[in-house]
PDB file of all heavy atoms in Angstrom:
ATOM      1  N   THR A 370     -21.907  -9.609  19.394  1.00 94.00           N
ATOM      2  CA  THR A 370     -21.469  -8.814  18.240  1.00 94.00           C
ATOM      3  C   THR A 370     -22.481  -8.825  17.097  1.00 94.00           C
ATOM      4  O   THR A 370     -22.383  -8.039  16.173  1.00 94.00           O
ATOM      5  CB  THR A 370     -20.107  -9.290  17.703  1.00 94.00           C
ATOM      6  OG1 THR A 370     -20.214 -10.689  17.427  1.00 94.00           O
ATOM      7  CG2 THR A 370     -19.000  -9.058  18.710  1.00 94.00           C
ATOM      8  N   GLY A 371     -23.457  -9.709  17.159  1.00 93.00           N
ATOM      9  CA  GLY A 371     -24.474  -9.723  16.114  1.00 93.00           C
ATOM     10  C   GLY A 371     -25.718 -10.453  16.576  1.00 93.00           C
ATOM     11  O   GLY A 371     -25.733 -11.050  17.652  1.00 93.00           O
ATOM     12  N   SER A 372     -26.772 -10.372  15.782  1.00 95.00           N
ATOM     13  CA  SER A 372     -28.031 -11.044  16.088  1.00 95.00           C
ATOM     14  C   SER A 372     -28.538 -10.745  17.498  1.00 95.00           C
ATOM     15  O   SER A 372     -29.127 -11.605  18.151  1.00 95.00           O
ATOM     16  CB  SER A 372     -27.895 -12.568  15.924  1.00 95.00           C
ATOM     17  OG  SER A 372     -27.406 -12.868  14.648  1.00 95.00           O
ATOM     18  N   VAL A 373     -28.335  -9.512  17.912  1.00 98.00           N
ATOM     19  CA  VAL A 373     -28.759  -9.091  19.252  1.00 98.00           C
ATOM     20  C   VAL A 373     -30.266  -9.272  19.422  1.00 98.00           C
ATOM     21  O   VAL A 373     -30.743  -9.654  20.490  1.00 98.00           O
ATOM     22  CB  VAL A 373     -28.347  -7.616  19.489  1.00 98.00           C
ATOM     23  CG1 VAL A 373     -28.920  -7.082  20.787  1.00 98.00           C
ATOM     24  CG2 VAL A 373     -26.835  -7.491  19.478  1.00 98.00           C
ATOM     25  N   GLU A 374     -30.995  -9.035  18.322  1.00 98.00           N
ATOM     26  CA  GLU A 374     -32.460  -9.061  18.393  1.00 98.00           C
ATOM     27  C   GLU A 374     -33.035 -10.440  18.719  1.00 98.00           C
ATOM     28  O   GLU A 374     -34.179 -10.543  19.117  1.00 98.00           O
ATOM     29  CB  GLU A 374     -33.072  -8.514  17.090  1.00 98.00           C
ATOM     30  CG  GLU A 374     -32.735  -9.295  15.828  1.00 98.00           C
ATOM     31  CD  GLU A 374     -31.393  -8.897  15.187  1.00 98.00           C
ATOM     32  OE1 GLU A 374     -30.663  -8.068  15.760  1.00 98.00           O
ATOM     33  OE2 GLU A 374     -31.076  -9.455  14.121  1.00 98.00           O
ATOM     34  N   ASP A 387     -30.192  -2.025  21.155  1.00 98.00           N
ATOM     35  CA  ASP A 387     -29.657  -2.156  19.798  1.00 98.00           C
ATOM     36  C   ASP A 387     -30.068  -0.976  18.940  1.00 98.00           C
ATOM     37  O   ASP A 387     -30.910  -0.164  19.330  1.00 98.00           O
ATOM     38  CB  ASP A 387     -30.151  -3.475  19.175  1.00 98.00           C
ATOM     39  CG  ASP A 387     -29.300  -3.918  17.989  1.00 98.00           C
ATOM     40  OD1 ASP A 387     -28.180  -3.384  17.808  1.00 98.00           O
ATOM     41  OD2 ASP A 387     -29.755  -4.799  17.233  1.00 98.00           O
ATOM     42  N   LEU A 388     -29.470  -0.927  17.757  1.00 97.00           N
ATOM     43  CA  LEU A 388     -29.778   0.147  16.831  1.00 97.00           C
ATOM     44  C   LEU A 388     -31.129  -0.073  16.199  1.00 97.00           C
ATOM     45  O   LEU A 388     -31.477  -1.187  15.830  1.00 97.00           O
ATOM     46  CB  LEU A 388     -28.749   0.190  15.704  1.00 97.00           C
ATOM     47  CG  LEU A 388     -27.341   0.546  16.113  1.00 97.00           C
ATOM     48  CD1 LEU A 388     -26.462   0.541  14.877  1.00 97.00           C
ATOM     49  CD2 LEU A 388     -27.308   1.896  16.798  1.00 97.00           C
ATOM     50  N   THR A 394     -36.591  -4.573  12.237  1.00 97.00           N
ATOM     51  CA  THR A 394     -35.945  -5.680  12.949  1.00 97.00           C
ATOM     52  C   THR A 394     -36.644  -5.964  14.278  1.00 97.00           C
ATOM     53  O   THR A 394     -36.911  -7.123  14.618  1.00 97.00           O
ATOM     54  CB  THR A 394     -34.445  -5.376  13.177  1.00 97.00           C
ATOM     55  OG1 THR A 394     -33.842  -5.133  11.911  1.00 97.00           O
ATOM     56  CG2 THR A 394     -33.737  -6.530  13.867  1.00 97.00           C
TER      57      THR A 394
HETATM   58 MG1   MG B  36     -27.413  -5.598  12.939  1.00 83.26          MG
END
Side-chain angles (χ1 to χ4, degrees):
T370 55
S372 306
V373 173
E374 62 275 5
D387 199 15
L388 294 180
T394 303

